Amino acid sequence: MLIDLFNETWRELEDGTKKYGHPFRTCSLATAEISRGIRQRTIIFRELTKKKTLLFYTDLRSTKIEQINKNPDGSVLFYNPSIQLQIFISGKIKIHSEDSLWNDHFMNIEGRSINDYNTQYAPGKPIKNPIAVTRTKDLNFAVLELIPDTIEYLKLREEPSGIRAIFKLQDQEWNKTFLVP
Ligand SMILES: Cc1cc2nc3c(=O)[nH]c(=O)nc-3n(C[C@H](O)[C@H](O)[C@H](O)COP(=O)(O)O)c2cc1C
């Protein structure tokens, strides 16, 4: 039973990146603020790697990069309303810039996506006029890799009283336990 939930989790994540319109296509990424507190933002989930890590793209100058550099702990939250499934994943986030993984993804940035990484000034900088964003030829592209160590599965409406489980990576094995929902 626990193994079914565990397998469903990875299947849903895989579908999130492969099936058009799947709700796991986006998630909320949380990182630690530099001063104190947590910052969350919506982000597109790009790929589930063979190593079962999660990849995201971002601008290398965005605030989250500074936060991750200071504290690599992070988490993502997914929700699929059609099956009322919530998946929480936490772990360490690695920033890729100009390494081989980065290069594989950088090659695929084209069309309108280029504009996600080419503003002259860093994302989040105050501007007077939103239509006067200057762009450059440089792409400040980074890949974020979340390496999971904890996953929580929750289906609150599942009969008879909901299903909640936690999967924890210990000594390279995923330990699986049910939790009170
Ligand atoms: C639907 C949607 C998808 C988004 N996808 C991404 C993304 O893939 N990468 C990204 O860096 N920001 C993405 N954003 C913007 C972030 O939510 C956020 O505003 C931005 O990355 C700046 O975050 P930061 O200042 O905390 O670094 C997306 C926003 C929305 C609404």
Side-chain angles (χ1 to χ4, degrees):
M1 179 64 177
L2 274 164
I3 188 69
D4 296 332
L5 306 184
F6 185 69
N7 290 339
E8 181 188 357
T9 300
W10 294 115
R11 209 167 48 241
E12 280 289 304
L13 288 168
E14 186 76 46
D15 287 352
T17 62
K18 301 251 164 84
K19 289 195 177 163
Y20 180 78
H22 192 286
F24 280 20
R25 177 67 175 153
T26 55
C27 60
S28 175
L29 168 72
T31 49
E33 293 265 24
I34 298 292
S35 47
R36 66 182 184 90
I38 300 296
R39 171 78 181 208
Q40 294 160 284
R41 77 285 284 163
T42 307
I43 197 162
I44 296 177
F45 173 33
R46 305 283 173 168
E47 187 183 319
L48 179 66
T49 67
K50 289 195 180 83
K51 290 186 298 175
K52 301 239 186 298
T53 62
L54 288 76
L55 302 186
F56 309 92
Y57 296 171
T58 198
D59 187 306
L60 193 55
R61 302 161 301 170
S62 62
T63 310
K64 65 181 88 52
I65 295 284
E66 192 188 350
Q67 294 170 346
I68 296 163
N69 269 326
K70 188 162 179 230
N71 180 352
D73 293 329
S75 64
V76 285
L77 190 67
F78 294 91
Y79 182 61
N80 182 345
S82 66
I83 53 171
Q84 297 187 323
L85 171 66
Q86 173 179 275
I87 298 293
F88 166 84
I89 303 177
S90 65
K92 301 275 181 215
I93 303 173
K94 190 172 168 191
I95 299 166
H96 292 269
S97 172
E98 305 199 4
D99 59 10
S100 71
L101 183 143
W102 174 89
N103 199 50
D104 291 346
H105 292 266
F106 182 70
M107 309 286 271
N108 298 327
I109 303 296
E110 55 186 12
R112 282 182 57 190
S113 302
I114 290 173
N115 282 350
D116 292 341
Y117 315 101
N118 69 357
T119 55
Q120 181 179 10
Y121 300 111
K125 185 178 191 292
I127 46 169
K128 287 210 173 79
N129 179 354
I131 60 166
V133 175
T134 317
R135 302 190 178 274
T136 69
K137 287 206 167 74
D138 300 326
L139 290 197
N140 302 280
F141 174 70
V143 178
L144 302 178
E145 179 177 27
L146 174 65
I147 302 147
D149 56 39
T150 304
I151 301 177
E152 250 196 66
Y153 173 111
L154 175 66
K155 272 189 186 168
L156 216 46
R157 295 275 168 264
E158 198 80 349
E159 295 298 331
S161 52
I163 292 196
R164 183 172 170 192
I166 191 163
F167 315 126
K168 271 185 173 289
L169 193 61
Q170 275 150 355
D171 302 325
Q172 303 189 348
E173 288 285 319
W174 283 99
N175 288 333
K176 309 174 189 70
T177 317
F178 286 116
L179 300 173
V180 176

